[in-house]
Amino acid sequence: PNIFCGNSVNYILIDDKNLEDEFLLGLLNSYLLNWYFKVFGTNSNVNGYEVDNLPIPNIAEVNQKPFIKLVNRVLAAKRINPEADTSKWEREIDALVYELYGLTEEEVRVVEGGRG
């Protein structure tokens, strides 16, 4: 039988209690922050990257709502069918993240340079 064994620990310490879990989930799974981990993180040699200070913007709860709405759509679709194609919503989340961080079109092209 196939047995999965792992010894990885992942954690993030967030001081701001006003950041909703779904907002953070969308942000941390965005293409931009995954790119950031790869470019600015140090390889931990266990198929992951370590970043000491990940820049998480402190935004008002009302501004988190578009992220939360899309993340909830992705989660609901994946609960029904784990293989569901949620790429449209994921790209919408990515666009919100690029806007949140104030990326220019040129910077987005750099980030998405390796995207298929």
Side-chain angles (χ1 to χ4, degrees):
N2 293 331
I3 298 174
F4 174 77
C5 296
N7 61 357
S8 176
V9 174
N10 301 298
Y11 60 92
I12 296 174
L13 301 174
I14 305 285
D15 289 339
D16 192 336
K17 303 289 187 245
N18 294 322
L19 297 177
E20 298 290 330
D21 292 342
E22 293 87 351
F23 168 72
L24 290 170
L25 185 63
L27 196 63
L28 294 171
N29 284 285
S30 71
Y31 199 84
L32 177 61
L33 288 192
N34 278 279
W35 174 86
Y36 186 92
F37 271 105
K38 291 176 185 172
V39 171
F40 296 104
T42 55
N43 190 330
S44 66
N45 293 320
V46 290
N47 296 326
Y49 297 87
E50 297 173 4
V51 176
D52 287 331
N53 292 304
L54 188 64
I56 305 239
N58 182 1
I59 66 171
E61 290 180 52
V62 67
N63 295 329
Q64 296 175 49
K65 289 187 185 298
F67 294 86
I68 293 167
K69 180 179 177 182
L70 290 165
V71 167
N72 283 332
R73 284 182 180 172
V74 171
L75 292 173
K78 293 294 185 176
R79 272 188 216 105
I80 294 168
N81 176 6
E83 301 300 319
D85 180 7
T86 57
S87 59
K88 178 181 182 264
W89 296 321
E90 292 170 32
R91 286 223 182 232
E92 289 181 42
I93 293 168
D94 289 337
L96 289 172
V97 172
Y98 296 143
E99 184 179 334
L100 178 65
Y101 283 91
L103 268 65
T104 65
E105 288 182 25
E106 182 178 333
E107 291 168 326
V108 170
R109 280 193 296 276
V110 169
V111 169
E112 293 202 351
R115 188 178 217 169

